[in-house]
Structures are given as structure tokens and as C-alpha cells.
Amino acid sequence: MADQTPPDVATCPPSLSVGLLSYERVTSEMRKAAPGITAEQIQTFIAVLRKGRCSQIEICRITGFTRQATSRHVAKLVKAGLLVQRRDPESGRRQVVRLTALGRLVPAALNGISRRLN
């Protein structure tokens, strides 16, 4: 089983613009939306959240994951209902990934927690 310890804040950029939320709170909210989600899947979700509509190659560049790993993470997040993957209307070959309505609720919940803490 992968190590689920939080990253060192000094060496890791903040995952979301949610104020001073801890890694544990972000992880907790993500796991409410998708029980069993892994740290790598959370990183993949956050990459899509930050980038908006993007390809899996762009997610690979952001996260540093391999194409195969990214494909697995995206598939799990699609199955959980947090992401959707469709053909890019501008390019018939390229697939794009974006947040679903449920996926957009996660950062809204995190921002609500941040406002309550401040």
C-alpha cells in the first residue's frame, strides 16, 4: 500500500487556492466525494481543476506521472463521476478531460471550509 503521509509543505506547492487548508482536509473532502481515491488520483484531479479542459499529455506534464498511470487515474476519476473525457471538438483525434458537475462541487466545498476557518 502506498504511503499516505502528507507531503512536506516546504517542498510542495499548494494544491488549491483554498487558503490555509491542510493536506488532510483536502484529502478528506476528496475522499468524501470519491471513497477510496488515492493521493495520485487527487493530484490528477487537482491538475484538471487548475488547468481546466486539458489532454492526458498535459496532465502528465503537470503531475510528472507516466501516460499509463495518468490514463489509469483519469479512468478511475471518470468512473467516480468527478471527471469526463470527450473528443476535442477542435481536433477529432485528441481526447480532453474536464470536471463534471460533481467534480466542481469539491472545490466549492473546500472554499466553504476555508471561509469558515477565516
Side-chain angles (χ1 to χ4, degrees):
M1 181 158 189
D3 183 16
Q4 296 290 327
T5 59
D8 180 10
V9 177
T11 61
C12 183
S15 299
L16 293 168
S17 299
V18 290
L20 299 174
L21 280 180
S22 69
Y23 176 82
E24 291 83 10
R25 283 193 191 259
V26 172
T27 302
S28 172
E29 285 301 311
M30 290 294 301
R31 290 199 170 124
K32 284 180 192 174
I37 193 169
T38 65
E40 293 83 4
Q41 291 163 2
I42 292 171
Q43 284 180 268
T44 301
F45 177 83
I46 290 169
V48 176
L49 175 65
R50 285 182 159 175
K51 182 78 175 164
R53 193 178 86 173
C54 59
S55 70
Q56 286 192 19
I57 296 298
E58 290 170 304
I59 297 169
C60 290
R61 288 184 190 128
I62 294 167
T63 62
F65 298 145
T66 65
R67 289 181 184 184
Q68 296 84 357
T70 299
S71 180
R72 283 192 309 273
H73 301 322
V74 167
K76 295 268 184 172
L77 292 165
V78 167
K79 187 174 181 178
L82 296 171
L83 298 180
V84 64
Q85 187 172 17
R86 300 273 191 258
R87 286 214 183 275
D88 186 349
E90 299 167 10
S91 167
R93 293 179 54 189
R94 183 176 119 140
Q95 295 277 324
V96 291
V97 179
R98 64 177 174 78
L99 299 179
T100 62
L102 176 62
R104 288 189 298 274
L105 290 176
V106 173
L110 292 170
N111 284 326
I113 290 170
S114 179
R115 280 192 295 275
R116 287 194 306 268
L117 292 175
N118 294 328

